[in-house]
Amino acid sequence: MSLPIEQYALVSDCHTGALIGSDGSIDWLCLPRYDSASTFGALLGTEEHGRWLLRPDDAQAFFERRYVDRTFVLVTRWFTDTGEVEVTDFMPHGDNRADIVRRVRGVRGTVLMRQELRIRFGYATAMPWVRQVADDHGTALIAVAGPDAVVLRGPRLTATGHQHSGTFTISAGETVDIELTWFPSHLPDPGPVDLDQSLAQTIDWWQSWADMYQHEGPYQKEVIRSLLVLRALTHEQTGGIVAAVTTSLPEQFGGPRNWDYRYVWLRDAALTLSAFLGHSYVSEAENWRNWLLRAIAGDPNDVQIMYGLAGERYLAERELTSLPGYQGSAPVRVGNAAVSQFQQDVVGEVMIALHEAREAGVQEDVFSWPLQRALIGFVEENCHRPDTGIWEVRGPERHFTHSRVMMWAALDRAIRGSLEFGLPGAVDRWTDLRDRLREEIETDGFDQKRGCYTQYYGTDAVDASLLQLPQVGYCEADDPRMLGTVAAIEKDLLRNGLLMRYRPDPELDDFPPGEHPFLACSFWLVEQYARSGRLQDARELMDRLVGICNDVGLLAEEYDTVNNRHAGNYPQALSHLALVQAADWIAKAEGAPGKAPTRV
C-alpha cells in the first residue's frame, strides 16, 4: 500500500518529477513529462502497479533525509545495526534526457542493500519485455513496451515473477551508482551519463537559481523551498507551469474527489508568475508569457482555463481501470473535465500577471498587447454570463462574486496599461464597464444583513476566494466591508483553525461533501491578517501552516486536521505560492527590507 502523502519527497529535472517514499521506493514517476503516462504508479495502487525500491535489506533500518541545500537533490541516510549508508537521488538537469540516478555511498561498517524493480508503462497497462545485457559499462537491464523503453545500469538483478530484484553489499568508502534512463523505444539506448559531472552541474544549477532570491524576512527557508517547488513545476522547455506532480490524490480519502492536476491552469500559472516577479525571477515571467501567447493564440472565445504543458487543448477526462486509486480512493482520472468550463476569473488573473510583468520591465511585443486587448474584448462580450467559479464546481453556473471582481480587475489592468504605459486602448469604454461592474458587485454581491460580500449573487454564504479582493486591488484589507467579510469567513469556514473553501451545498456542487481545509485559503487569511493590522494573528496562523510542511518542506493541496495528514495532489503549486505571498506580507507588515509584494 502507498504511504501517507506527506512521507514522499520530490526530485525533479524541470521536465518531470519522481516521488520517493520514506521507505526508499519511487512510487510515482511519469516519463518523459509530468503529464506522460506513469512508469511507476504504486502511489495509486500497490507495488504491482510499478515501483523502484532501494533501501537496506534490514527491515528495522531507520533513516533521516534532507535536500542538498537549495536543490532537489535528495540525500537519505540509512542506519542499521551493521553500518550506515547514504543514498543520493537526483534527476540530472539540463541534459535533455530523462534520467534518474540513485547513488549509494557507504558511510560506516557494511550494509546489505535491496533493490526491487517493477516497470509498468502506460498507467500500469503495459508490462514490458525485459532483457539483461552486458555492455562496455557493465550490466544493463532494458525494458520495452509500445513507445516506451528504459535502461537500468547498476548491480545485476534477477527476474522473479513480474519483478526484478537483487541485493548488494556496500562498505564504508565504497560507492555504487544506479541509473535509469527513459528513451523512445524506436531509438537506441542513449548510453550512460557522467554521473559525477551531472551531479555537480545539477546542484550548481539549482543553487544558482535559488541565489537570485534577493529578499530578507521571516520564513525565508520556507519561501526559498516554495519558490524551488514552483520552479520544479515549470517545464524547462515550454515554460508551462503544472499545478501539481500527481493525478488523483484524494481530497476526500476513499471518496470520488480525485482530479488530474498535471496541467497548466491559467489561474495558477499567473499566480506563480506573480510569486516569481516578486522575488526577481523575471526570465520565468518572460518564458511564461511566451507560453501564454502560444497557448491561447486565435479567437479569444476559444480560450480555455487550462492547457497541456506545451499548450495542448484536448485534455478530455477519462477514468482508468488499471490503477485502483490511492489507498482505495477511486476513480483515478486522467485529463480534466474542467477544461470545458467557463470561468470568468481566469482573464483577470492573466491580465494582473501581465501587468505585473510590465511593471517589472518585461517589454510588450508585437503580439502581447493585442492579445490582452482581445481578452478584454472577450470580457466585454461575456461579462453578463454566469460561470462555474474559481473552485470549478460541477453544478449550476452562477454569478460568483469573486469572478465578477476578477473581471473588474481585468478591466482595471487594461486601463492602467493604457494610462501608465501609453498602450493603445478604449480607456473610456473600459472605465465605464469597470465602474458598472463595481456598482453591480456592491449591490448584488454584498449582503447588508450580514455585512459581508457573498459567494454568489442571491446567497448569504461566503467563500474563501473573497479574501482575494484586497489582493487584486478591489478594496483595502481594512475596508469595513472587507472586515465584515473576514468575520463571516472565520465564523462559517474555519475548521480546527484552518479554512475551508466554502460550505458544502448540494445545490452548488454535484459531489458529496467531505474535503478538508484548503491550505492556500489559510495562507490567504494570513495575508489578510497581515494587511489589516492583525499581525499577531497572522504570525500564529503562519507558524501553524509552515509546521504542516513535511520533513523536506513540501505541501499538498489540503490538510486533514483530524488525522493530521496531507490530502489532495502533491506537491501543490497553489499552496506553495500562497505561502510565499503570505510570508511577503508578514515581512512588509513587520517592516523587513525588500521589494513590496505584487498584485496590488
Side-chain angles (χ1 to χ4, degrees), residues 70 72 209-210 212-231 274-276 278-281 523 539 542 546 549 552-555 573 575-587 595 597:
R70 294 165 295 135
F72 272 105
W209 189 88
M212 290 188 287
Y213 174 81
Q214 297 179 358
H215 308 292
E216 299 294 328
Y219 308 104
Q220 186 179 54
K221 180 184 73 173
E222 291 84 3
V223 168
I224 292 175
R225 177 52 55 191
S226 292
L227 289 169
L228 286 165
V229 170
L230 297 177
R231 184 62 188 88
S274 296
F276 283 150
H279 295 86
S280 306
Y281 293 106
F523 284 116
R539 271 286 199 169
M542 188 71 171
V546 298
C549 295
V552 289
L554 305 183
L555 289 169
S575 298
H576 282 281
L577 65 90
L579 182 156
V580 172
Q581 198 76 4
D584 287 347
W585 277 103
I586 289 176
K595 182 179 175 181

Side-chain angles (χ1 to χ4, degrees), residues 496-553:
N496 297 326
L498 299 181
L499 211 57
M500 305 293 293
R501 296 185 295 176
Y502 53 85
R503 287 186 307 200
D505 182 353
E507 294 185 1
L508 180 69
D509 196 352
D510 291 340
F511 278 79
E515 70 170 15
H516 302 284
F518 199 83
L519 291 174
C521 296
S522 294
F523 284 116
W524 294 346
L525 187 58
V526 170
E527 177 178 338
Q528 168 64 31
Y529 288 159
R531 295 176 70 158
S532 60
R534 296 173 61 178
L535 186 55
Q536 182 175 347
D537 290 335
R539 271 286 199 169
E540 289 175 357
L541 181 53
M542 188 71 171
D543 288 344
R544 181 176 179 191
L545 287 166
V546 298
I548 290 171
C549 295
N550 77 346
D551 60 320
V552 289

Side-chain angles (χ1 to χ4, degrees), residues 232-255:
L233 298 178
T234 304
H235 194 271
E236 185 73 16
Q237 293 177 332
T238 71
I241 305 169
V242 296
V245 173
T246 58
T247 178
S248 301
L249 289 181
E251 298 171 7
Q252 176 187 8
F253 295 110

Side-chain angles (χ1 to χ4, degrees), residues 131-153:
R131 70 187 191 278
Q132 201 145 202
V133 300
D135 60 18
D136 294 340
H137 309 284
T139 301
L141 185 148
I142 298 176
V144 177
D148 298 299
V150 295
V151 56
L152 180 76
R153 291 184 168 86

Side-chain angles (χ1 to χ4, degrees), residues 33 102 105 170 392 432 444-445 511 521 537 543 558:
R33 297 195 333 182
R102 316 194 76 175
R105 182 176 68 87
I170 187 161
E392 301 175 355
D432 177 67
D444 299 332
F511 278 79
C521 296
D537 290 335
D543 288 344
E558 299 182 356

